[in-house]
Amino acid sequence: MGLSLYVVLGSAVVGLLVGLTGAGGGALMTPMLILLFSVKPAAAISSDLVAAVVMRPVGAAVHLHKGTVNLRLVGLMSLGSVPMAFLGAFLLRQLGNSSADAKNVEIALGAALLLGAAAMVLRYVLDRRSRRPRTGKIAEVLVRPVPTVLIGMAGGLIVGITSVGSGSLMIILLLFAYPMLTAGQLVGTDLTQAVPLTAAAALGALTFGHVEFGVTASIIAGSVPAVLIGSLLSSRAPDRYIRPAITFVIFASGLKYVGVPTYPLGWTMGAILVAAGGYWLVRPRIWPNVHPLPVADSQAPDEAATMAANPLVMMRTRSPRRTST
């Protein structure tokens, strides 16, 4: 398969979403290659992994420049993920030698996608329920070595087998282990650790020989400039709009892979769209005060405006009065 304009355009869309939201490219790229362009599952997964070796460093470089990466977390996660990614690529080779084994690969991919969709929904619910802002400083986070290595091992194995895990699965695990970090810090750290992880998985894919280089070249041509643009715009991206759309696509792909027929799948996703529309209408009644003011900013509006306009007033009101003797 040579360079395909349609794969280039599709990869550009996926790359832009990855740069904007930090969601794993494998969760979107691999289903697109299989469902829309009829690439065999093992070849789609391996080609995506090889392309990610070029794509991921672009987003990681942007986050390193912004200072949203904890390099110690990156090192511990890579310690677990790199060897497990190579093992996952070997297991993919063992599964991908017959049509029955190809079906097993699709089921494994579908299970990973459904898990990723559920994790994203859970993260959304927890963020809406939590009243505490995520204000931890990335350089001062208390690193937990054992859970961090285990997160890397689990993500590396899944990435090696399915190419899904970096944005869709591993970020939610980091979120539970380090709940006070902002989403941008989690995404930046995860994108950076994904560089050695995808390099190891791609080495395994190249070693076991199921990469279609025409597909890989098409993915790189479309995704790399799009990831750069998306990463540069990520600070302004309307995350509350893009992430639900990505979750919807991941969930639909997962259901398709685990064997849900086309018509029931269409009705299911239509029902989800209707339910989401209804939720959007009643959302202000469920969470009327999603982002409460911090304690320091709880003054009356007029008082806060006065203090902001004249800092001397705030100093005088807070300084103790001297009593004459």
Side-chain angles (χ1 to χ4, degrees):
M1 180 179 180
L3 197 68
S4 171
L5 177 61
Y6 295 106
V7 175
V8 171
L9 294 176
S11 300
V13 174
V14 174
L16 182 63
L17 292 177
V18 171
L20 285 172
T21 67
L28 299 173
M29 192 79 72
T30 303
M32 179 193 70
L33 294 174
I34 298 173
L35 295 177
L36 297 183
F37 304 110
S38 301
V39 180
K40 293 181 180 180
I45 291 170
S46 300
S47 301
D48 180 33
L49 284 173
V50 174
V53 175
V54 181
M55 180 178 67
R56 296 295 174 86
V58 176
V62 173
H63 282 277
L64 284 169
H65 179 70
K66 291 182 178 181
T68 57
V69 178
N70 186 298
L71 293 179
R72 190 182 176 196
L73 280 178
V74 170
L76 289 171
M77 294 178 69
S78 300
L79 181 64
S81 65
V82 168
M84 296 303 289
F86 194 82
L87 175 62
F90 172 77
L91 294 177
L92 177 63
R93 167 76 177 204
Q94 300 302 110
L95 289 172
N97 293 326
S98 68
S99 58
D101 291 334
K103 183 63 178 178
N104 292 334
V105 173
E106 290 188 8
I107 293 176
L109 176 58
L113 290 175
L114 291 176
L115 181 60
M120 294 181 74
V121 172
L122 178 61
R123 174 181 171 177
Y124 174 79
V125 172
L126 291 177
D127 286 346
R128 301 291 291 191
R129 285 175 173 261
S130 176
R131 300 278 179 164
R132 296 182 303 171
R134 304 181 189 278
T135 57
K137 295 182 179 180
I138 190 68
E140 299 176 1
V141 63
L142 180 61
V143 177
R144 304 166 59 190
V146 174
T148 305
V149 172
L150 291 176
I151 290 173
M153 292 177 64
L157 182 62
I158 295 174
V159 167
I161 295 177
T162 67
S163 83
V164 179
S166 180
S168 301
L169 299 178
M170 294 181 74
I171 283 182
I172 192 65
L173 297 177
L174 282 174
L175 177 62
F176 285 130
Y178 303 99
M180 292 308 295
L181 292 183
T182 65
Q185 294 167 347
L186 291 171
V187 171
T189 299
D190 182 72
L191 277 176
T192 305
Q193 71 82 30
V195 174
L197 167 58
T198 52
L203 178 61
L206 290 170
T207 301
F208 300 122
H210 38 252
V211 177
E212 291 191 11
F213 291 99
V215 175
T216 301
S218 300
I219 295 173
I220 293 174
S223 64
V224 169
V227 165
L228 176 60
I229 294 173
S231 298
L232 292 174
L233 297 176
S234 59
S235 60
R236 303 178 182 179
D239 189 76
R240 62 184 180 273
Y241 298 134
I242 296 177
R243 281 197 181 275
I246 295 177
T247 305
F248 181 85
V249 173
I250 293 174
F251 183 66
S253 300
L255 289 179
K256 183 65 176 177
Y257 288 143
V258 297
V260 177
T262 302
Y263 286 108
L265 176 63
W267 283 107
T268 301
M269 303 315 295
I272 291 175
L273 285 177
V274 172
Y279 167 77
W280 185 263
L281 294 176
V282 301
R283 181 175 59 90
R285 299 180 182 179
I286 299 176
W287 284 299
N289 298 315
V290 177
H291 303 292
L293 289 173
V295 176
D297 296 331
S298 59
Q299 296 97 338
D302 293 340
E303 179 183 354
T306 302
M307 289 183 177
N310 192 349
L312 293 178
V313 174
M314 181 172 61
M315 296 175 59
R316 291 170 183 171
T317 55
R318 290 185 178 179
S319 61
R321 295 182 179 179
R322 298 181 180 179
T323 55
S324 60
T325 55

